[in-house]
Amino acid sequence: MKYTKKQRQEKLQNKIIENPFITDEDLADFFSVSVQTIRLDRLALSIPELRERIKHVAREHLDDVKALPEEEVIGEIIDLQLDKEAISLLDIKKEHVFSRTGIARGHYLFAQANSLAVAIIDEKMALTAKASVHFHRRVKEGERVIAKAEVKGTKDGKTIVHVVSNVKEEMVFYGEFSMYRSGK
Amino acid sequence: MKYTKKQRQEKLQNKIIENPFITDEDLADFFSVSVQTIRLDRLALSIPELRERIKHVAREHLDDVKALPEEEVIGEIIDLQLDKEAISLLDIKKEHVFSRTGIARGHYLFAQANSLAVAIIDEKMALTAKASVHFHRRVKEGERVIAKAEVKGTKDGKTIVHVVSNVKEEMVFYGEFSMYRSGK
DNA sequence: CCAATGTTATGACTAGGTAATAAAAGTAGT
DNA sequence: ACTACTTTTATTACCTAGTCATAACATTGG
């Protein structure tokens, strides 16, 4: 025999993670055992059946795509006084960090700050013209970044917004954004 | 009767887009028609059955999660000479633009430039310290942004990278990045 | 009123399973 | 070599959410 029960079950788990769309029959072929054995294995490992697996993957996706366009903002806005100040919150998760180091990629902090700068403008449309940003400290997975934006005034039609992002009491990011606004 | 055939089929389409997990039976209940009618409707609209719908959504998701961590870069790198220059390409799609205006959100252009600046550094790890960026022209859905990064030199341990992004011959973005590098 | 369109019902079949039960095969210990 | 136990396989009945084909019934417009 090729594998012991334990070995097979380990491999099985990997196989299914790798390709959640595989049927018991295909697995049975692959391991040269009967379908029933595969089913006992899944039962033992509490791996749900193909359809449930697919459903699960699909639901995750649906949550993703629903979460994004709903709020065209990176991070969750928790306070917003138009043309004055705004605060948003971003929890740094796996998808935001370099997988090797666990350090957040700069453009997510930028994105949080930038989209907050867009949101704060009391206009149907706002676009970033210029930005000058500083990354003060690396942010790690699991940390919560709170960005605070403040409108500093207007200079030749462009609104200047300052954004300071903190993790707890520590400043991790600072940016100055110069925003076009659609208003006449 | 509540709806005509046409009205029902339109509503049906929306219903399914809204919640692809709904069964024919639930739909039949909702519209107070028989399951068979729903099936004829789906057939007419060529909407696949529940399981196929779910599978499709799941596959998209799988592609997403597989595509992202593979290359930790926004855009596709088409040329890379470490510590010299690099070029990447980003096709602006629906998910990159403000849905109302079709104009690309600034942080995607930033992300493309920033991740190119990270990639160009010949080191296991590179992080952005500072960045100064200008958005010269709005980029629209369907346009292809080509970012070109050049290493300009090193100043107190930080590498200066310039990134110019063009759509066709027109410059749309310019950024100067100051990068930390892990090297001793 | 009758023909066309729309709707519902029925029966046979499918994939990819669950669950329960039984039988067979392999592995150890003595 | 025989028993005891684990592991694997087979069998049967059932399930969901469909497919496809055929037939009958209902509604509406002209």
Side-chain angles (χ1 to χ4, degrees), chain A:
Chain A
M1 81 258 48
K2 227 182 146 189
Y3 297 113
T4 69
K5 191 182 177 185
K6 242 179 208 162
Q7 289 175 322
R8 189 188 57 234
Q9 292 192 345
E10 270 173 51
K11 284 237 169 209
L12 182 91
Q13 200 142 29
N14 295 334
K15 266 265 163 199
I16 290 178
I17 288 169
E18 191 183 291
N19 174 19
F21 296 96
I22 197 165
T23 62
D24 287 357
E25 209 177 339
D26 290 346
L27 286 164
D29 279 1
F30 179 82
F31 288 107
S32 311
V33 294
S34 72
V35 209
Q36 287 75 4
T37 303
I38 297 295
R39 283 173 185 166
L40 285 174
D41 286 347
R42 274 201 298 100
L43 207 70
L45 299 166
S46 29
I47 296 168
E49 64 166 283
L50 170 68
R51 283 154 181 166
E52 290 309 312
R53 292 194 307 260
I54 293 181
K55 212 180 286 179
H56 185 247
V57 180
R59 273 194 206 284
E60 274 178 23
H61 179 60
L62 211 69
D63 290 348
D64 280 8
V65 298
K66 279 212 171 141
L68 266 171
E70 238 169 61
E71 21 167 339
E72 300 211 329
V73 165
I74 308 291
E76 189 189 345
I77 291 189
I78 52 179
D79 180 40
L80 179 63
Q81 297 162 252
L82 288 169
D83 278 329
K84 279 206 188 132
E85 62 166 62
I87 296 170
S88 90
L89 182 158
L90 177 67
D91 287 312
I92 301 300
K93 297 186 189 149
K94 265 200 308 297
E95 61 266 33
H96 303 121
V97 304
F98 290 105
S99 49
R100 219 162 19 69
T101 57
I103 295 170
R105 280 176 257 179
H107 56 255
Y108 282 108
L109 296 183
F110 181 91
Q112 180 189 18
N114 185 59
S115 55
L116 193 60
V118 170
I120 202 173
I121 306 282
D122 185 12
E123 214 76 60
K124 268 169 295 176
M125 206 180 93
L127 291 170
T128 311
K130 268 193 330 196
S132 182
V133 299
H134 289 244
F135 298 88
H136 287 283
R137 147 157 121 54
R138 40 203 78 176
V139 176
K140 296 222 156 194
E141 188 177 340
E143 292 188 313
R144 166 168 293 183
V145 181
I146 294 165
K148 190 167 162 183
E150 257 179 280
V151 172
K152 287 297 185 187
T154 305
K155 206 157 58 177
D156 16 87
K158 283 171 224 149
T159 301
I160 307 300
V161 181
H162 286 193
V163 181
V164 182
S165 298
N166 287 289
V167 170
K168 291 187 181 148
E169 294 309 300
E170 204 177 349
M171 188 201 287
V172 295
F173 171 97
Y174 175 76
E176 184 175 315
F177 294 85
S178 173
M179 311 296 294
Y180 288 117
R181 49 197 308 157
S182 61
K184 58 258 108 192

Side-chain angles (χ1 to χ4, degrees), chain B residues 5 9 35-46:
Chain B
K5 192 182 175 181
Q9 292 192 345
V35 210
Q36 287 76 3
T37 303
I38 297 294
R39 284 173 184 164
L40 285 174
D41 285 348
R42 275 200 299 99
L43 206 71
L45 299 167
S46 29

